[in-house]
Amino acid sequence: QVQLVESGGGLVQPGGSLRLSCAATGSINRINTMGWYRQAPGKGRELVAQSTSGGITNYVDPVKGRFSISRDNAKNTVYLQMNSLKPEDTAVYFCTAYILTRALVWSDYWGQGTQVTVSS
């Protein structure tokens, strides 16, 4: 069994920063892509940033230059550093990972979500 556990969300003023963390635990053989999605009230879930196991990253245009994704592969953990936050960044942020389990099955896994609220 595999779990993704997120932390680091909260309330921050516009222009502030937050750092999200997501640790994958359980029966893990290997992790390929890890990433972050978000879902704002009344909107669909959208990709924010992704990082492959080889270190290739991509970002959705609205967060380029403000957000940075990184990984600690030894800890099976992915981070999202969010700077210069704007009210429109307010959303529930979800961690995702494409994982090969010890049973040799590849599957997508999702965290439970963490709320980020940007407001004065």
Side-chain angles (χ1 to χ4, degrees):
Q1 195 170 4
V2 173
Q3 283 187 313
L4 300 184
V5 180
E6 299 140 341
S7 61
L11 172 65
V12 63
Q13 291 187 342
S17 298
L18 281 175
R19 188 191 195 209
L20 306 182
S21 300
C22 172
T25 62
S27 181
I28 297 170
N29 183 310
R30 186 153 43 103
I31 301 179
N32 194 335
T33 300
M34 301 186 82
W36 293 92
Y37 282 70
R38 67 185 179 185
Q39 187 165 17
K43 295 187 177 180
R45 194 171 295 190
E46 67 168 354
L47 174 66
V48 176
Q50 279 184 324
S51 174
T52 70
S53 57
I56 297 172
T57 59
N58 68 283
Y59 299 88
V60 65
D61 283 347
V63 309
K64 286 181 178 178
R66 299 189 297 123
F67 290 12
S68 178
I69 188 170
S70 60
R71 290 170 63 159
D72 184 335
N73 291 325
K75 296 181 179 180
N76 291 335
T77 299
V78 63
Y79 305 95
L80 185 68
Q81 178 66 43
M82 304 185 294
N83 299 326
S84 302
L85 282 160
K86 304 176 181 180
E88 51 263 43
D89 295 317
T90 295
V92 178
Y93 284 70
F94 297 90
C95 170
T96 183
Y98 190 52
I99 295 174
L100 177 67
T101 66
R102 289 176 184 154
L104 302 182
V105 175
W106 282 103
S107 295
D108 283 311
Y109 291 88
W110 291 82
Q112 78 284 0
T114 185
Q115 177 69 46
V116 171
T117 302
V118 185
S119 175
S120 55

